[in-house]
């Protein structure tokens, strides 16, 4: 049931449902999102609106459900309207900066703490709003991401992991709300230099790390890491044996990755999957749809992704 957006007594404001859904593109990937949506009816910087309810898109960092357009009476009046409907609000700032900041200053403070890996994602409802002209706000109480504008920023480890790719796996696990457990067997395909291998090892699981290139020495010597210097595409799932988590950040064309994961699914040798779909040149929308159509799975653009998407298949989580 859609919540009704309203103004408190004494505040004169016109509130109009947009009969559309808002999609906030990941930075630098506005063209990809626009191509997915097709019939964009309104655009404000990275924020695009398309008619009707939420659609299946992959390049949106946050989705604004049931947005409304509000003709605001004043700065304080705008803040009172937002506060009346919900406590927590995240501003998407792209224009009219000074006036928008004054409205924000009259709203309850929302913590800007970085996410700590291993701690659960925020659960408090977080609405989004933006000032499109000095007297008009667009706002949505219901958004797809619990983080401000979908920005999942972690308290980073800038010493141990050999590259920043580990942030993608941190984000995937945090979004899923589940992690490998001690005693489980995980596989990191395309493991070099070892960022994902390090993440998997730190969960307490054992890691089979596979790559033609060597691991960073400090990662290779970790006690539960079994490094295999070979191609991930040459592995025989039946000979390798059952894997609890198959994770891949390997560089390859999407079609080749699709064949690889299907091989593992068909043999039943892997239970959970987290794989990066890397775009080699132009965005391959057909290949992305192939992954999204795999039953019980989902495709997302992580905040820490670049020109790539992440495919996840975790029974009991991604099939909900």
């Amino acid at each position: 049931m859609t919540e009704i957006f309203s103004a408190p007594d004494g505040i004169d404001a016109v509130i109009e449902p947009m009969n559309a859904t808002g999609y906030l593109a990941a930075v630098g990937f506005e063209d990809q999102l626009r191509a997915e949506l097709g019939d964009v009816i309104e655009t404000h910087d990275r924020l695009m609106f398309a008619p009707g309810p939420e659609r299946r898109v992959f390049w949106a960092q946050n989705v604004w459900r049931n947005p409304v357009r509000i003709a605001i009476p004043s700065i304080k009046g705008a803040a009172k309207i937002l506060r009346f409907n919900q406590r927590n609000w995240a501003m998407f700032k792209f224009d009219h900066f000074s006036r928008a900041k004054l409205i924000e200053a009259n709203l309850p403070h929302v913590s800007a703490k970085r996410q700590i890996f291993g701690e659960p994602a925020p659960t408090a409802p977080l609405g989004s709003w933006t000032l499109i002209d000095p007297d008009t706000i667009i706002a949505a109480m219901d958004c797809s991401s619990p983080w401000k504008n979908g920005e999942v920023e972690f308290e980073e480890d800038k010493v141990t992991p050999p590259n920043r790719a580990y942030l993608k796996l941190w984000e995937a696990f945090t979004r899923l709300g589940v992690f490998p457990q001690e005693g489980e067997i995980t596989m990191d395909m395309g493991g070099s230099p070892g960022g994902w291998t390090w993440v998997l090892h730190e969960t307490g699981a054992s890691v089979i790390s596979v790559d033609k290139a060597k691991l960073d020495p400090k990662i290779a010597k970790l006690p539960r890491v079994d490094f295999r210097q070979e191609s991930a595409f040459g592995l025989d799932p039946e000979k390798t044996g059952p894997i609890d988590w198959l994770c891949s950040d390997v560089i390859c064309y999407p079609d080749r990755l699709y064949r690889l994961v299907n091989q593992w699914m068909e043999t039943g040798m892997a239970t959970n999957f987290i794989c990066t779909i890397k775009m080699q040149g132009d965005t391959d929308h057909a290949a992305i749809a192939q992954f999204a159509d795999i039953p019980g799975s989902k495709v997302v653009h992580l905040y820490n992704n670049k020109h790539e998407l992440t495919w996840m298949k975790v029974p009991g989580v991604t099939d909900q």
Side-chain angles (χ1 to χ4, degrees):
M1 181 178 175
T2 303
E3 294 183 72
I4 304 300
F5 207 106
S6 57
D9 292 341
I11 299 294
D12 184 21
V14 177
I15 301 175
E16 298 179 333
M18 294 182 66
N19 299 316
T21 302
Y23 303 87
L24 182 64
V27 176
F29 300 105
E30 296 87 349
D31 289 346
Q32 283 81 358
L33 178 59
R34 191 174 289 107
E36 283 188 302
L37 292 171
D39 55 342
V40 173
I41 56 174
E42 190 171 330
T43 301
H44 302 286
D45 194 66
R46 292 188 288 123
L47 181 60
M48 305 174 198
F49 292 88
E54 182 177 354
R55 308 176 186 184
R56 186 178 82 166
V57 296
F58 310 113
W59 295 96
Q61 197 163 282
N62 195 16
V63 177
W64 296 25
R65 303 173 180 124
N66 305 307
V68 296
R69 193 187 310 273
I70 309 170
I72 60 174
S74 64
I75 287 170
K76 289 190 175 180
K80 286 180 179 178
I81 293 167
L82 293 174
R83 287 202 312 266
F84 181 74
N85 288 278
Q86 188 161 283
R87 182 194 184 279
N88 296 334
W89 289 95
M91 175 176 62
F92 172 58
K93 182 172 61 176
F94 74 95
D95 201 356
H96 311 289
F97 303 115
S98 298
R99 190 168 175 82
K101 290 294 288 182
L102 290 172
I103 295 171
E104 185 181 48
N106 282 276
L107 293 171
H109 175 71
V110 175
S111 174
K113 288 194 307 182
R114 289 176 176 264
Q115 179 74 38
I116 296 175
F117 180 64
E119 294 188 356
T123 56
L126 181 63
S128 295
W129 68 277
T130 190
L131 189 66
I132 63 171
D133 66 46
D135 301 309
T136 309
I137 276 177
I138 291 178
M141 287 189 281
D142 182 14
C143 292
S144 64
S145 177
W147 294 278
K148 179 180 178 180
N149 297 322
E151 298 166 356
V152 191
E153 296 187 328
F154 284 95
E155 193 65 49
E156 296 186 33
D157 183 333
K158 297 184 178 180
V159 177
T160 315
N163 61 4
R164 298 186 78 249
Y166 76 95
L167 292 169
K168 292 186 285 187
L169 198 52
W170 270 12
E171 183 179 346
F173 285 138
T174 303
R175 282 175 175 245
L176 291 167
V178 294
F179 310 82
Q181 300 296 305
E182 185 174 346
E184 289 190 325
I185 300 173
T186 66
M187 177 176 285
D188 178 12
M189 291 183 168
S192 178
W196 282 32
T197 294
W198 171 74
V199 171
L200 294 168
H201 180 270
E202 290 302 291
T203 66
S206 297
V207 191
I208 301 170
S209 185
V210 184
D211 204 314
K212 288 182 177 180
K214 291 184 177 181
L215 289 179
D216 182 287
K218 67 184 176 186
I219 304 300
K221 70 181 182 182
L222 292 171
R224 294 183 308 282
V225 170
D226 173 11
F227 176 60
R228 302 181 185 182
Q229 194 168 4
E230 58 182 302
S231 169
F233 297 96
L235 295 176
D236 182 340
E238 298 277 8
K239 292 181 180 178
T240 304
I243 302 294
D244 295 293
W245 290 83
L246 190 154
C247 301
S248 170
D249 199 31
V250 70
I251 298 172
C252 66
Y253 285 99
D255 281 345
R256 196 176 188 199
L257 178 65
Y258 182 76
R259 292 194 296 271
L260 176 71
V261 299
N262 270 284
Q263 182 185 18
W264 282 86
M265 287 190 296
E266 287 166 5
T267 59
M269 287 293 113
T271 304
N272 306 294
F273 297 80
I274 299 177
C275 301
T276 307
I277 309 168
K278 295 178 181 284
M279 300 296 112
Q280 306 291 300
D282 293 339
T283 302
D284 190 338
H285 294 283
I288 295 166
Q290 271 191 317
F291 278 95
D293 288 340
I294 295 173
S297 73
K298 66 189 299 184
V299 173
V300 299
H301 185 276
L302 302 176
Y303 174 65
N304 290 287
N305 278 146
K306 296 184 175 65
H307 189 202
E308 57 194 13
L309 297 168
T310 298
W311 174 72
M312 301 184 285
K313 187 176 187 296
V314 178
V317 179
T318 56
D319 49 4
Q320 299 300 308

